[in-house]
Amino acid sequence: MDNNISVLRIYFRYGQKAQNQSFWQKFWNNNLGQKLLKKAKEMNIEQANIFTAKAGYLDNDKISYNISEIPPSKNPVCLELIDQHEKLKSFIEQNKAELSEANVILLNNDSFKMTDKKGST
């Protein structure tokens, strides 16, 4: 990965359903996070992680606390993707319908790669 990396953060509710799926997909595999994670892998996105919040809120709602084995449905989840800026913009464009129900943030503030004292990476 070169120095023009960006971070795409997609926030949605725990267990949020994916849109535009067939009957069987709705019945068996309709989790938005899992669907977007698979799409990221298909597009060869360099890095992807799903984070489930211990506590938080979306859209100025009440605070949701994750204190059990299964988080409440209003608990925030974040899918974080890291790759080239243009590749992440392409991901957004290709998954526009799914992302319409999520909060999407694309970050790129002077990305750089750390080097050791000898100047190698």
Side-chain angles (χ1 to χ4, degrees), residues 14 50-57 64-67 71-72 75-78:
Y14 180 84
I50 294 180
F51 301 104
T52 304
K54 295 280 185 192
Y57 61 90
S64 174
Y65 295 93
N66 181 0
I67 57 174
N75 201 68
V77 176
C78 175

Side-chain angles (χ1 to χ4, degrees), residues 6 8 43 45 84-96 99 106:
S6 292
L8 175 63
M43 290 184 66
I45 299 293
Q84 299 299 311
H85 190 77
E86 291 304 316
K87 202 169 183 182
L88 295 178
K89 283 175 61 176
S90 177
F91 179 88
I92 293 169
E93 191 62 35
Q94 289 183 32
N95 296 285
K96 225 178 225 182
L99 297 174
L106 181 59

Side-chain angles (χ1 to χ4, degrees), residues 27 31-32 57 81 106 118:
F27 191 70
N31 183 286
L32 178 61
Y57 61 90
L81 305 178
L106 181 59
K118 296 178 185 176

Side-chain angles (χ1 to χ4, degrees), residues 9-22:
R9 291 188 177 163
I10 304 164
Y11 294 94
F12 49 94
R13 297 185 190 287
Y14 180 84
Q16 187 167 329
K17 308 295 183 216
Q19 303 297 317
N20 304 320
Q21 293 195 335
S22 71

